[in-house]
Short mmCIF file of all heavy atoms in Angstrom, two decimals:
data_model
loop_
_atom_site.label_atom_id
_atom_site.label_comp_id
_atom_site.label_asym_id
_atom_site.label_seq_id
_atom_site.Cartn_x
_atom_site.Cartn_y
_atom_site.Cartn_z
N MET J 185 130.83 -21.42 116.43
CA MET J 185 131.03 -22.83 116.17
C MET J 185 129.67 -23.53 116.19
O MET J 185 128.82 -23.24 117.00
CB MET J 185 131.97 -23.40 117.22
CG MET J 185 132.34 -24.81 116.98
SD MET J 185 133.82 -25.19 117.91
CE MET J 185 134.43 -26.43 116.87
N THR J 186 129.47 -24.47 115.28
CA THR J 186 128.19 -25.17 115.20
C THR J 186 128.28 -26.50 115.93
O THR J 186 129.35 -27.01 116.22
CB THR J 186 127.81 -25.41 113.73
OG1 THR J 186 128.80 -26.24 113.15
CG2 THR J 186 127.70 -24.10 112.97
N ASN J 187 127.11 -27.07 116.18
CA ASN J 187 127.02 -28.36 116.88
C ASN J 187 126.91 -29.54 115.94
O ASN J 187 126.56 -30.62 116.35
CB ASN J 187 125.83 -28.36 117.83
CG ASN J 187 126.03 -27.39 118.97
OD1 ASN J 187 127.15 -27.12 119.35
ND2 ASN J 187 124.94 -26.88 119.51
N GLN J 188 127.17 -29.34 114.65
CA GLN J 188 127.06 -30.42 113.68
C GLN J 188 128.35 -31.22 113.65
O GLN J 188 129.43 -30.67 113.84
CB GLN J 188 126.79 -29.86 112.30
CG GLN J 188 125.44 -29.19 112.16
CD GLN J 188 125.25 -28.65 110.77
OE1 GLN J 188 126.17 -28.61 109.98
NE2 GLN J 188 124.03 -28.26 110.46
N PRO J 189 128.24 -32.52 113.40
CA PRO J 189 129.45 -33.32 113.23
C PRO J 189 130.20 -32.86 111.98
O PRO J 189 129.63 -32.25 111.09
CB PRO J 189 128.95 -34.75 113.08
CG PRO J 189 127.49 -34.70 113.16
CD PRO J 189 127.04 -33.31 113.36
N PRO J 190 131.48 -33.17 111.87
CA PRO J 190 132.25 -32.68 110.73
C PRO J 190 131.79 -33.20 109.38
O PRO J 190 132.02 -32.58 108.36
CB PRO J 190 133.68 -33.15 111.02
CG PRO J 190 133.58 -34.08 112.15
CD PRO J 190 132.27 -33.89 112.82
N ASN J 191 131.11 -34.34 109.32
CA ASN J 191 130.68 -34.89 108.03
C ASN J 191 129.18 -34.73 107.82
O ASN J 191 128.60 -35.47 107.04
CB ASN J 191 131.08 -36.36 107.93
CG ASN J 191 130.46 -37.17 109.04
OD1 ASN J 191 129.88 -36.63 109.96
ND2 ASN J 191 130.59 -38.47 108.93
N ALA J 192 128.54 -33.76 108.44
CA ALA J 192 127.09 -33.61 108.34
C ALA J 192 126.67 -32.87 107.09
O ALA J 192 125.49 -32.71 106.85
CB ALA J 192 126.56 -32.86 109.56
N ASP J 193 127.61 -32.43 106.26
CA ASP J 193 127.24 -31.63 105.10
C ASP J 193 126.55 -32.45 104.02
O ASP J 193 125.46 -32.12 103.57
CB ASP J 193 128.46 -30.92 104.54
CG ASP J 193 129.61 -31.88 104.24
OD1 ASP J 193 129.65 -32.96 104.85
OD2 ASP J 193 130.44 -31.55 103.41
N ARG J 194 127.14 -33.54 103.56
CA ARG J 194 126.53 -34.29 102.46
C ARG J 194 126.52 -35.81 102.67
O ARG J 194 125.99 -36.53 101.86
CB ARG J 194 127.27 -34.01 101.16
CG ARG J 194 127.09 -32.61 100.70
CD ARG J 194 127.80 -32.40 99.41
NE ARG J 194 127.74 -31.00 99.08
CZ ARG J 194 127.30 -30.52 97.96
NH1 ARG J 194 126.92 -31.33 97.02
NH2 ARG J 194 127.27 -29.24 97.75
N SER J 195 127.11 -36.32 103.67
CA SER J 195 127.17 -37.76 103.85
C SER J 195 126.95 -38.11 105.32
O SER J 195 127.07 -37.27 106.20
CB SER J 195 128.51 -38.30 103.37
OG SER J 195 129.55 -37.73 104.13
N VAL J 196 126.64 -39.37 105.54
CA VAL J 196 126.41 -39.87 106.90
C VAL J 196 127.31 -41.07 107.09
O VAL J 196 127.45 -41.91 106.20
CB VAL J 196 124.92 -40.29 107.07
CG1 VAL J 196 124.70 -40.90 108.42
CG2 VAL J 196 124.03 -39.10 106.84
N ASP J 197 127.94 -41.17 108.23
CA ASP J 197 128.80 -42.32 108.49
C ASP J 197 127.95 -43.54 108.78
O ASP J 197 126.98 -43.49 109.52
CB ASP J 197 129.71 -42.04 109.69
CG ASP J 197 130.87 -41.15 109.33
OD1 ASP J 197 131.21 -41.09 108.15
OD2 ASP J 197 131.42 -40.55 110.26
N VAL J 198 128.32 -44.63 108.17
CA VAL J 198 127.69 -45.91 108.47
C VAL J 198 128.61 -46.65 109.42
O VAL J 198 129.70 -46.20 109.75
CB VAL J 198 127.43 -46.72 107.18
CG1 VAL J 198 126.34 -46.07 106.37
CG2 VAL J 198 128.66 -46.87 106.36
N CYS J 199 128.22 -47.82 109.85
CA CYS J 199 128.97 -48.52 110.88
C CYS J 199 130.39 -48.88 110.44
O CYS J 199 131.26 -49.06 111.26
CB CYS J 199 128.21 -49.75 111.35
SG CYS J 199 127.83 -50.91 110.07
N PHE J 200 130.65 -48.97 109.15
CA PHE J 200 132.00 -49.29 108.69
C PHE J 200 132.84 -48.04 108.46
O PHE J 200 133.98 -48.13 108.05
CB PHE J 200 131.95 -50.11 107.41
CG PHE J 200 131.29 -51.44 107.61
CD1 PHE J 200 130.05 -51.70 107.09
CD2 PHE J 200 131.93 -52.41 108.34
CE1 PHE J 200 129.44 -52.91 107.28
CE2 PHE J 200 131.33 -53.64 108.54
CZ PHE J 200 130.09 -53.88 108.01
N GLY J 201 132.26 -46.86 108.66
CA GLY J 201 133.02 -45.64 108.53
C GLY J 201 133.04 -45.06 107.14
O GLY J 201 133.72 -44.07 106.90
N GLN J 202 132.34 -45.65 106.19
CA GLN J 202 132.32 -45.13 104.83
C GLN J 202 131.14 -44.18 104.68
O GLN J 202 130.05 -44.47 105.18
CB GLN J 202 132.21 -46.26 103.83
CG GLN J 202 133.38 -47.22 103.88
CD GLN J 202 133.16 -48.39 102.94
OE1 GLN J 202 132.14 -48.50 102.30
NE2 GLN J 202 134.15 -49.25 102.88
N PRO J 203 131.33 -43.07 104.00
CA PRO J 203 130.23 -42.13 103.83
C PRO J 203 129.16 -42.71 102.90
O PRO J 203 129.46 -43.43 101.96
CB PRO J 203 130.88 -40.90 103.21
CG PRO J 203 132.14 -41.38 102.60
CD PRO J 203 132.57 -42.56 103.39
N LEU J 204 127.91 -42.40 103.20
CA LEU J 204 126.79 -42.86 102.41
C LEU J 204 126.18 -41.66 101.71
O LEU J 204 125.78 -40.69 102.34
CB LEU J 204 125.75 -43.52 103.33
CG LEU J 204 124.64 -44.32 102.68
CD1 LEU J 204 125.22 -45.48 101.89
CD2 LEU J 204 123.71 -44.86 103.74
N THR J 205 126.13 -41.71 100.41
CA THR J 205 125.63 -40.58 99.62
C THR J 205 124.11 -40.59 99.59
O THR J 205 123.46 -41.51 100.11
CB THR J 205 126.17 -40.65 98.19
OG1 THR J 205 125.69 -41.86 97.59
CG2 THR J 205 127.68 -40.62 98.17
N ARG J 206 123.54 -39.58 98.94
CA ARG J 206 122.08 -39.51 98.81
C ARG J 206 121.55 -40.71 98.03
O ARG J 206 120.53 -41.29 98.39
CB ARG J 206 121.68 -38.22 98.12
CG ARG J 206 120.19 -38.01 98.03
CD ARG J 206 119.84 -36.70 97.38
NE ARG J 206 120.32 -35.56 98.13
CZ ARG J 206 119.60 -34.93 99.07
NH1 ARG J 206 118.39 -35.34 99.33
NH2 ARG J 206 120.09 -33.89 99.70
N ALA J 207 122.24 -41.12 96.98
CA ALA J 207 121.83 -42.31 96.23
C ALA J 207 121.94 -43.56 97.10
O ALA J 207 121.11 -44.47 97.01
CB ALA J 207 122.67 -42.46 94.98
N GLY J 208 122.96 -43.61 97.95
CA GLY J 208 123.12 -44.74 98.86
C GLY J 208 121.98 -44.82 99.86
O GLY J 208 121.50 -45.90 100.18
N HIS J 209 121.53 -43.66 100.34
CA HIS J 209 120.38 -43.64 101.24
C HIS J 209 119.15 -44.17 100.53
O HIS J 209 118.36 -44.92 101.10
CB HIS J 209 120.10 -42.22 101.74
CG HIS J 209 121.00 -41.77 102.82
ND1 HIS J 209 120.92 -42.27 104.09
CD2 HIS J 209 122.00 -40.86 102.83
CE1 HIS J 209 121.84 -41.69 104.83
NE2 HIS J 209 122.51 -40.82 104.09
N TRP J 210 118.96 -43.75 99.26
CA TRP J 210 117.79 -44.19 98.50
C TRP J 210 117.82 -45.69 98.31
O TRP J 210 116.81 -46.37 98.51
CB TRP J 210 117.73 -43.48 97.16
CG TRP J 210 116.46 -43.75 96.44
CD1 TRP J 210 115.31 -43.05 96.56
CD2 TRP J 210 116.20 -44.81 95.53
NE1 TRP J 210 114.34 -43.61 95.76
CE2 TRP J 210 114.87 -44.70 95.12
CE3 TRP J 210 116.96 -45.85 95.02
CZ2 TRP J 210 114.29 -45.58 94.23
CZ3 TRP J 210 116.38 -46.74 94.13
CH2 TRP J 210 115.06 -46.59 93.75
N TRP J 211 118.96 -46.25 97.91
CA TRP J 211 119.06 -47.70 97.69
C TRP J 211 118.87 -48.48 98.98
O TRP J 211 118.23 -49.53 98.99
CB TRP J 211 120.40 -48.06 97.05
CG TRP J 211 120.42 -47.77 95.58
CD1 TRP J 211 121.09 -46.77 94.96
CD2 TRP J 211 119.70 -48.47 94.56
NE1 TRP J 211 120.85 -46.80 93.62
CE2 TRP J 211 120.00 -47.84 93.35
CE3 TRP J 211 118.85 -49.55 94.56
CZ2 TRP J 211 119.46 -48.27 92.14
CZ3 TRP J 211 118.32 -49.97 93.36
CH2 TRP J 211 118.62 -49.34 92.17
N ARG J 212 119.41 -47.97 100.06
CA ARG J 212 119.26 -48.67 101.34
C ARG J 212 117.81 -48.68 101.79
O ARG J 212 117.28 -49.69 102.24
CB ARG J 212 120.14 -48.04 102.41
CG ARG J 212 120.09 -48.80 103.72
CD ARG J 212 121.04 -48.27 104.72
NE ARG J 212 120.70 -46.90 105.10
CZ ARG J 212 121.37 -46.19 105.99
NH1 ARG J 212 122.42 -46.69 106.57
NH2 ARG J 212 120.99 -44.98 106.28
N SER J 213 117.11 -47.55 101.64
CA SER J 213 115.71 -47.51 102.04
C SER J 213 114.85 -48.38 101.12
O SER J 213 113.91 -49.02 101.58
CB SER J 213 115.20 -46.07 102.04
OG SER J 213 115.22 -45.53 100.75
N ALA J 214 115.18 -48.42 99.83
CA ALA J 214 114.45 -49.29 98.91
C ALA J 214 114.68 -50.76 99.23
O ALA J 214 113.77 -51.58 99.16
CB ALA J 214 114.85 -49.00 97.47
N LEU J 215 115.90 -51.08 99.62
CA LEU J 215 116.22 -52.47 99.96
C LEU J 215 115.45 -52.95 101.18
O LEU J 215 114.93 -54.06 101.22
CB LEU J 215 117.72 -52.61 100.20
CG LEU J 215 118.21 -53.98 100.65
CD1 LEU J 215 118.09 -54.97 99.51
CD2 LEU J 215 119.65 -53.89 101.12
N PHE J 216 115.34 -52.09 102.20
CA PHE J 216 114.68 -52.50 103.43
C PHE J 216 113.17 -52.34 103.39
O PHE J 216 112.46 -53.06 104.08
CB PHE J 216 115.25 -51.73 104.62
CG PHE J 216 116.62 -52.20 105.01
CD1 PHE J 216 117.71 -51.39 104.84
CD2 PHE J 216 116.81 -53.47 105.50
CE1 PHE J 216 118.97 -51.83 105.18
CE2 PHE J 216 118.06 -53.92 105.85
CZ PHE J 216 119.16 -53.10 105.68
N SER J 217 112.64 -51.41 102.60
CA SER J 217 111.19 -51.25 102.53
C SER J 217 110.57 -52.06 101.39
O SER J 217 109.36 -52.24 101.37
CB SER J 217 110.82 -49.78 102.37
OG SER J 217 111.32 -49.28 101.14
N GLY J 218 111.37 -52.55 100.47
CA GLY J 218 110.87 -53.32 99.33
C GLY J 218 110.06 -54.55 99.73
O GLY J 218 108.95 -54.75 99.23
N PRO J 219 110.58 -55.41 100.60
CA PRO J 219 109.80 -56.59 101.00
C PRO J 219 108.47 -56.22 101.67
O PRO J 219 107.45 -56.87 101.44
CB PRO J 219 110.72 -57.32 101.98
CG PRO J 219 112.08 -56.90 101.60
CD PRO J 219 111.95 -55.48 101.13
N ALA J 220 108.46 -55.17 102.48
CA ALA J 220 107.21 -54.76 103.13
C ALA J 220 106.21 -54.26 102.10
O ALA J 220 105.01 -54.56 102.20
CB ALA J 220 107.49 -53.67 104.16
N VAL J 221 106.68 -53.54 101.11
CA VAL J 221 105.77 -53.05 100.06
C VAL J 221 105.21 -54.22 99.27
O VAL J 221 104.03 -54.25 98.91
CB VAL J 221 106.51 -52.05 99.15
CG1 VAL J 221 105.70 -51.72 97.92
CG2 VAL J 221 106.85 -50.79 99.92
N LEU J 222 106.04 -55.22 98.98
CA LEU J 222 105.55 -56.39 98.26
C LEU J 222 104.51 -57.15 99.08
O LEU J 222 103.50 -57.61 98.53
CB LEU J 222 106.72 -57.31 97.91
CG LEU J 222 107.64 -56.80 96.81
CD1 LEU J 222 108.82 -57.74 96.64
CD2 LEU J 222 106.90 -56.64 95.51
N TRP J 223 104.74 -57.31 100.39
CA TRP J 223 103.76 -57.99 101.24
C TRP J 223 102.44 -57.23 101.28
O TRP J 223 101.37 -57.83 101.20
CB TRP J 223 104.29 -58.15 102.66
CG TRP J 223 105.12 -59.38 102.84
CD1 TRP J 223 106.47 -59.45 102.89
CD2 TRP J 223 104.65 -60.72 102.96
NE1 TRP J 223 106.87 -60.74 103.04
CE2 TRP J 223 105.77 -61.55 103.09
CE3 TRP J 223 103.39 -61.29 102.97
CZ2 TRP J 223 105.67 -62.92 103.23
CZ3 TRP J 223 103.29 -62.66 103.11
CH2 TRP J 223 104.42 -63.46 103.24
N LEU J 224 102.52 -55.91 101.44
CA LEU J 224 101.30 -55.12 101.48
C LEU J 224 100.55 -55.18 100.17
O LEU J 224 99.32 -55.27 100.14
CB LEU J 224 101.61 -53.67 101.84
CG LEU J 224 102.00 -53.42 103.28
CD1 LEU J 224 102.45 -51.98 103.47
CD2 LEU J 224 100.85 -53.74 104.20
N THR J 225 101.28 -55.15 99.07
CA THR J 225 100.64 -55.23 97.77
C THR J 225 99.98 -56.59 97.58
O THR J 225 98.84 -56.69 97.14
CB THR J 225 101.66 -54.98 96.66
OG1 THR J 225 102.23 -53.68 96.85
CG2 THR J 225 101.02 -55.04 95.29
N GLY J 226 100.71 -57.63 97.91
CA GLY J 226 100.19 -58.97 97.69
C GLY J 226 99.05 -59.36 98.61
O GLY J 226 98.12 -60.05 98.21
N LEU J 227 99.11 -58.94 99.85
CA LEU J 227 98.13 -59.39 100.83
C LEU J 227 96.98 -58.42 101.06
O LEU J 227 95.96 -58.81 101.63
CB LEU J 227 98.82 -59.67 102.16
CG LEU J 227 99.84 -60.80 102.13
CD1 LEU J 227 100.52 -60.93 103.48
CD2 LEU J 227 99.18 -62.11 101.74
N LEU J 228 97.11 -57.18 100.64
CA LEU J 228 96.04 -56.21 100.85
C LEU J 228 95.46 -55.67 99.54
O LEU J 228 94.25 -55.67 99.34
CB LEU J 228 96.53 -55.04 101.71
CG LEU J 228 96.90 -55.37 103.13
CD1 LEU J 228 97.47 -54.15 103.83
CD2 LEU J 228 95.69 -55.89 103.89
N MET J 229 96.33 -55.20 98.66
CA MET J 229 95.85 -54.53 97.46
C MET J 229 95.27 -55.50 96.43
O MET J 229 94.27 -55.20 95.81
CB MET J 229 96.98 -53.71 96.83
CG MET J 229 97.44 -52.55 97.69
SD MET J 229 96.11 -51.43 98.17
CE MET J 229 95.69 -50.74 96.59
N VAL J 230 95.90 -56.64 96.23
CA VAL J 230 95.40 -57.60 95.24
C VAL J 230 94.01 -58.11 95.62
O VAL J 230 93.10 -58.08 94.78
CB VAL J 230 96.41 -58.75 95.03
CG1 VAL J 230 95.81 -59.86 94.19
CG2 VAL J 230 97.68 -58.22 94.39
N PRO J 231 93.76 -58.55 96.86
CA PRO J 231 92.39 -58.96 97.20
C PRO J 231 91.39 -57.80 97.12
O PRO J 231 90.25 -58.00 96.70
CB PRO J 231 92.51 -59.46 98.64
CG PRO J 231 93.92 -59.85 98.80
CD PRO J 231 94.69 -58.89 97.95
N LEU J 232 91.81 -56.61 97.48
CA LEU J 232 90.91 -55.46 97.38
C LEU J 232 90.53 -55.20 95.93
O LEU J 232 89.36 -54.96 95.62
CB LEU J 232 91.57 -54.22 97.98
CG LEU J 232 90.77 -52.93 97.88
CD1 LEU J 232 89.49 -53.04 98.71
CD2 LEU J 232 91.60 -51.76 98.32
N LEU J 233 91.50 -55.26 95.02
CA LEU J 233 91.19 -55.06 93.61
C LEU J 233 90.33 -56.19 93.06
O LEU J 233 89.48 -55.97 92.19
CB LEU J 233 92.48 -54.93 92.82
CG LEU J 233 93.28 -53.66 93.08
CD1 LEU J 233 94.61 -53.70 92.33
CD2 LEU J 233 92.48 -52.44 92.70
N MET J 234 90.51 -57.40 93.57
CA MET J 234 89.66 -58.51 93.14
C MET J 234 88.21 -58.28 93.58
O MET J 234 87.28 -58.52 92.80
CB MET J 234 90.18 -59.84 93.70
CG MET J 234 91.46 -60.29 93.06
SD MET J 234 92.18 -61.75 93.83
CE MET J 234 90.90 -62.95 93.56
N VAL J 235 88.00 -57.81 94.79
CA VAL J 235 86.65 -57.54 95.29
C VAL J 235 86.01 -56.43 94.46
O VAL J 235 84.84 -56.50 94.09
CB VAL J 235 86.68 -57.18 96.79
CG1 VAL J 235 85.36 -56.62 97.25
CG2 VAL J 235 87.05 -58.40 97.59
N VAL J 236 86.78 -55.39 94.15
CA VAL J 236 86.24 -54.31 93.34
C VAL J 236 85.88 -54.82 91.95
O VAL J 236 84.83 -54.48 91.41
CB VAL J 236 87.25 -53.14 93.27
CG1 VAL J 236 86.85 -52.12 92.22
CG2 VAL J 236 87.39 -52.48 94.62
N GLY J 237 86.73 -55.66 91.37
CA GLY J 237 86.44 -56.21 90.05
C GLY J 237 85.22 -57.12 90.06
O GLY J 237 84.38 -57.06 89.15
N ILE J 238 85.08 -57.95 91.07
CA ILE J 238 83.95 -58.87 91.17
C ILE J 238 82.65 -58.10 91.37
O ILE J 238 81.58 -58.53 90.94
CB ILE J 238 84.20 -59.89 92.30
CG1 ILE J 238 85.30 -60.86 91.87
CG2 ILE J 238 82.94 -60.64 92.68
CD1 ILE J 238 85.76 -61.78 92.97
N SER J 239 82.72 -56.94 91.98
CA SER J 239 81.49 -56.18 92.25
C SER J 239 80.81 -55.70 90.99
O SER J 239 79.63 -55.35 91.01
CB SER J 239 81.79 -54.99 93.16
OG SER J 239 82.56 -54.03 92.46
N PHE J 240 81.50 -55.69 89.85
CA PHE J 240 80.90 -55.26 88.60
C PHE J 240 80.21 -56.40 87.85
O PHE J 240 79.54 -56.17 86.85
CB PHE J 240 81.94 -54.60 87.69
CG PHE J 240 82.39 -53.27 88.21
CD1 PHE J 240 83.62 -53.13 88.80
CD2 PHE J 240 81.57 -52.17 88.10
CE1 PHE J 240 84.04 -51.91 89.28
CE2 PHE J 240 81.97 -50.93 88.58
CZ PHE J 240 83.21 -50.81 89.17
N PHE J 241 80.37 -57.64 88.29
CA PHE J 241 79.70 -58.78 87.67
C PHE J 241 78.27 -58.90 88.19
O PHE J 241 77.90 -58.30 89.20
CB PHE J 241 80.44 -60.09 87.97
CG PHE J 241 81.74 -60.23 87.24
CD1 PHE J 241 82.95 -60.09 87.89
CD2 PHE J 241 81.75 -60.51 85.88
CE1 PHE J 241 84.15 -60.23 87.22
CE2 PHE J 241 82.94 -60.66 85.20
CZ PHE J 241 84.14 -60.51 85.87
N THR J 242 77.46 -59.69 87.50
CA THR J 242 76.11 -59.98 87.98
C THR J 242 76.06 -61.44 88.40
O THR J 242 76.90 -62.25 88.02
CB THR J 242 75.06 -59.73 86.87
OG1 THR J 242 75.38 -60.55 85.74
CG2 THR J 242 75.05 -58.27 86.48
N ARG J 243 75.03 -61.77 89.17
CA ARG J 243 74.89 -63.14 89.65
C ARG J 243 74.32 -64.00 88.51
O ARG J 243 73.32 -63.69 87.90
CB ARG J 243 73.95 -63.19 90.84
CG ARG J 243 73.75 -64.59 91.37
CD ARG J 243 72.85 -64.58 92.53
NE ARG J 243 73.60 -63.99 93.65
CZ ARG J 243 73.41 -64.33 94.91
NH1 ARG J 243 72.48 -65.21 95.22
NH2 ARG J 243 74.09 -63.78 95.87
N GLY J 244 75.02 -65.09 88.26
CA GLY J 244 74.57 -66.02 87.24
C GLY J 244 73.77 -67.15 87.85
O GLY J 244 73.38 -67.10 89.02
N GLU J 245 73.54 -68.15 87.05
CA GLU J 245 72.79 -69.31 87.55
C GLU J 245 73.63 -70.11 88.54
O GLU J 245 74.83 -70.23 88.41
CB GLU J 245 72.40 -70.21 86.39
CG GLU J 245 71.41 -69.57 85.45
CD GLU J 245 71.01 -70.53 84.36
OE1 GLU J 245 71.11 -71.75 84.57
OE2 GLU J 245 70.60 -70.06 83.30
N TYR J 246 72.98 -70.63 89.55
CA TYR J 246 73.61 -71.49 90.55
C TYR J 246 74.75 -70.79 91.29
O TYR J 246 75.74 -71.40 91.63
CB TYR J 246 74.09 -72.81 89.95
CG TYR J 246 73.00 -73.56 89.23
CD1 TYR J 246 73.02 -73.67 87.85
CD2 TYR J 246 71.95 -74.12 89.93
CE1 TYR J 246 72.02 -74.35 87.19
CE2 TYR J 246 70.94 -74.80 89.28
CZ TYR J 246 70.99 -74.91 87.91
OH TYR J 246 69.99 -75.57 87.26
N GLY J 247 74.66 -69.49 91.49
CA GLY J 247 75.65 -68.76 92.25
C GLY J 247 76.89 -68.35 91.48
O GLY J 247 77.83 -67.81 92.06
N GLY J 248 76.91 -68.59 90.19
CA GLY J 248 78.07 -68.19 89.39
C GLY J 248 78.05 -66.70 89.08
O GLY J 248 77.16 -65.96 89.46
N MET J 249 79.09 -66.26 88.40
CA MET J 249 79.17 -64.85 88.02
C MET J 249 79.07 -64.73 86.51
O MET J 249 79.54 -65.60 85.76
CB MET J 249 80.51 -64.25 88.46
CG MET J 249 80.69 -64.19 89.95
SD MET J 249 82.21 -63.39 90.45
CE MET J 249 83.44 -64.41 89.69
N GLY J 250 78.45 -63.66 86.06
CA GLY J 250 78.32 -63.42 84.63
C GLY J 250 78.48 -61.94 84.33
O GLY J 250 78.39 -61.08 85.20
N TRP J 251 78.73 -61.66 83.08
CA TRP J 251 78.85 -60.27 82.66
C TRP J 251 77.49 -59.61 82.67
O TRP J 251 76.49 -60.24 82.36
CB TRP J 251 79.45 -60.19 81.28
CG TRP J 251 80.88 -60.61 81.23
CD1 TRP J 251 81.35 -61.83 80.83
CD2 TRP J 251 82.00 -59.86 81.61
NE1 TRP J 251 82.71 -61.88 80.96
CE2 TRP J 251 83.14 -60.66 81.43
CE3 TRP J 251 82.19 -58.57 82.10
CZ2 TRP J 251 84.43 -60.23 81.70
CZ3 TRP J 251 83.46 -58.13 82.38
CH2 TRP J 251 84.57 -58.94 82.18
N PRO J 252 77.41 -58.34 82.99
CA PRO J 252 76.11 -57.65 83.02
C PRO J 252 75.51 -57.50 81.63
O PRO J 252 76.15 -57.52 80.66
CB PRO J 252 76.41 -56.30 83.63
CG PRO J 252 77.88 -56.14 83.65
CD PRO J 252 78.48 -57.47 83.42
#
């Protein structure tokens, strides 16, 4: 006899007792991690890409930026 619950083969019980499929797991994880990914992209990656992009410009007159 194994120590696995009876429904451990392909689904997991959620709090309402309905089985959650593999696609359900994917959608649930996307729903909960989506806002965090958007925050990280907006607050970390966008400014980082802006700094990298600005680093290819040259200094213009009066502190402005110009194409090399």
Side-chain angles (χ1 to χ4, degrees):
M185 185 161 208
T186 62
N187 292 333
Q188 294 179 349
N191 59 351
D193 54 336
R194 292 181 187 234
S195 62
V196 176
D197 283 337
V198 290
C199 58
F200 296 109
Q202 298 175 358
L204 192 61
T205 62
R206 184 178 297 269
H209 281 289
W210 188 88
W211 281 108
R212 184 174 64 179
S213 64
L215 176 70
F216 286 113
S217 64
V221 170
L222 289 175
W223 274 102
L224 287 173
T225 301
L227 296 176
L228 295 175
M229 294 305 293
V230 171
L232 177 65
L233 291 175
M234 289 174 62
V235 168
V236 169
I238 289 172
S239 69
F240 290 105
F241 288 107
T242 58
R243 179 179 288 211
E245 293 183 24
Y246 305 110
M249 294 184 300
W251 292 99

